[in-house]
Every structure is written in C-alpha cells, then in structure tokens.
Amino acid sequence: ISWCSWEFKFIELDDAFSTGSSIMPQKKNPDICELVRGKTGRVYGDLMTLLTVMKGLPLAYDKDMQEDKECVFDAIDTVSMCLKVLPDMLSTMTVLTENMAAAGRRGFINATDCADYLTKKGMPFRDAYKLTGGLVARCIREGRTLEQLSLEELQEESPLFDEGFYAAVDLLNAVKRRNTWGGPSPEQTQEQIAQAREFVKNHRKQD
C-alpha cells in the first residue's frame, strides 16, 4: 500500500485490482491490499476468540471447546479467500525500478561502501567514516547524491579517490557484494526464493 502511494511510487497495480478515488480523479487506490489488511482484524478477532475460549481449561475436553470450531473455520476461510486473489494481483503489477533506484540513491545506503572503498585504499576506517559523513552532509545541502559528485570534487577531500569510486558506490554492485547467507545479493535472493518454493511444494504434498 505504501509502495503504491505517490510518496514512494515503487509499484503500480493493474486497474483490475484497484479503483479511483470518489473525490480525487488522479488517485488509484490499492483496493485488494486494503481489503486484505482489513481482513487482518477479523482473523485477529478469531484468534482472540480461540485464546479466550481455551484460557484456563483443565487437561481434558470441556463443553466450552465446541466454541472453537466457528472461529477456526472463519479464519481459514478468510485467509484462503485473501490468498486466492494475491497471485493475480502480484503477477500483473508493474515494478517501477527507476523510482526504486532513485530512492536508494537519495537514502545514501551506499555511504558505507564509500567508507569501505577508502579503507581498501589505505585510509583508516575512522577517517574514512568521517570523510564520508562530510560528503553525505554536502550532498544533502546541495540536493545531490554521492554518485553525482565529480572526481575533482572528491579529490579535493582525498587524493585516494579515482574513477573506481563510482563502481564502488553503484547500488547494484553494493548489493552484489553482500553475498552472505541471507544477504540481499541476487544469488542469495534466488536461494531464498528456491527455499520458499520448496516449502510450499512440500506443504501441498502434505495436504
């Protein structure tokens, strides 16, 4: 829902899964997402009903427990209904990658990579940390990103900077370098997806 908003605009849902606003013609509401979010309250209610029914019962069957069926069936029906519509919604949505990349650059998530770059060049990390912080502060004042600083501007701060800086702070390269277990690199992401698919496959076999 947040990613659909104008503040983020990272994704756009297909018209089949959204509607216009009753008062703002430019608005596109992520209806399915909002309805599923609303259903969470209902499922939470079912959980609280079940917990309340079972609270304090002795170790045996009690007549109270006939009240557990309705809330369990309702929760299963509600979740199943939500899950049926989500695959089509996700498969038809448009991912606005340029907006995501721009947001990443504005967030200076590659500042650590800048400090690491200087450290690998021989600068003590404490100095690289301080220098990078100054560069980020300058970018914020001037409305720029680290990638937009010229080599001349960078070398005014340290002669260690060279053309390799831009590859070091490239967002995609920064993600690829974090190729540790559970990390965000493409390889690790594919591994996590494969594990999720295997989990679903095994779950279906059990059903």
Side-chain angles (χ1 to χ4, degrees):
I1 294 171
S2 295
W3 284 15
C4 287
S5 68
W6 284 106
E7 289 78 10
F8 289 86
K9 208 61 180 171
F10 291 166
I11 60 174
E12 184 174 343
L13 297 182
D14 188 83
D15 289 348
F17 299 94
S18 54
T19 62
S21 168
S22 59
I23 189 171
M24 294 180 283
Q26 85 286 3
K27 197 162 183 256
K28 193 173 182 180
N29 295 319
D31 284 358
I32 299 301
C33 299
E34 293 175 356
L35 290 169
V36 170
R37 182 175 62 182
K39 290 294 184 183
T40 304
R42 179 171 183 147
V43 176
Y44 281 0
D46 289 328
L47 173 61
M48 290 308 300
T49 298
L50 185 60
L51 292 175
T52 304
V53 168
M54 301 302 292
K55 177 180 177 294
L57 293 181
L59 186 61
Y61 179 83
D62 293 273
K63 209 64 176 177
D64 315 43
M65 293 174 65
Q66 71 179 10
E67 290 296 322
D68 66 357
K69 311 300 185 292
E70 184 179 5
C71 55
V72 170
F73 294 157
D74 181 69
I76 292 173
D77 290 343
T78 301
V79 173
S80 298
M81 177 178 60
C82 293
L83 290 177
K84 285 179 181 177
V85 72
L86 288 178
D88 288 337
M89 184 196 76
L90 294 173
S91 65
T92 57
M93 77 179 183
T94 302
V95 179
L96 305 175
T97 55
E98 284 301 317
N99 291 351
M100 286 184 166
R105 289 189 289 269
R106 289 195 302 270
F108 298 102
I109 59 176
N110 53 359
T112 302
D113 298 278
C114 176
D116 288 343
Y117 165 83
L118 291 169
T119 303
K120 290 175 182 177
K121 290 278 189 176
M123 181 181 291
F125 183 77
R126 62 181 179 275
D127 296 333
Y129 179 94
K130 183 177 180 180
L131 192 153
T132 301
L135 290 176
V136 170
R138 175 179 180 173
C139 289
I140 292 174
R141 286 195 308 271
E142 299 176 0
R144 293 196 288 170
T145 64
L146 289 173
E147 299 92 328
Q148 292 173 335
L149 294 173
S150 68
L151 185 57
E152 291 74 17
E153 291 172 318
L154 292 168
Q155 289 178 340
E156 289 174 3
E157 302 295 330
S158 171
L160 294 176
F161 283 108
D162 59 27
E163 289 291 346
F165 165 79
Y166 299 102
V169 298
D170 178 79
L171 292 182
L172 185 56
N173 290 338
V175 171
K176 287 180 178 178
R177 278 193 295 271
R178 283 153 176 82
N179 190 25
T180 55
W181 177 254
S185 71
E187 293 85 355
Q188 292 299 323
T189 301
Q190 289 301 320
E191 176 64 26
Q192 294 298 317
I193 291 172
Q195 289 187 30
R197 285 176 173 163
E198 186 66 22
F199 174 83
V200 172
K201 180 181 177 181
N202 292 335
H203 184 71
R204 285 175 175 167
K205 285 181 180 179
Q206 292 172 9
D207 288 345

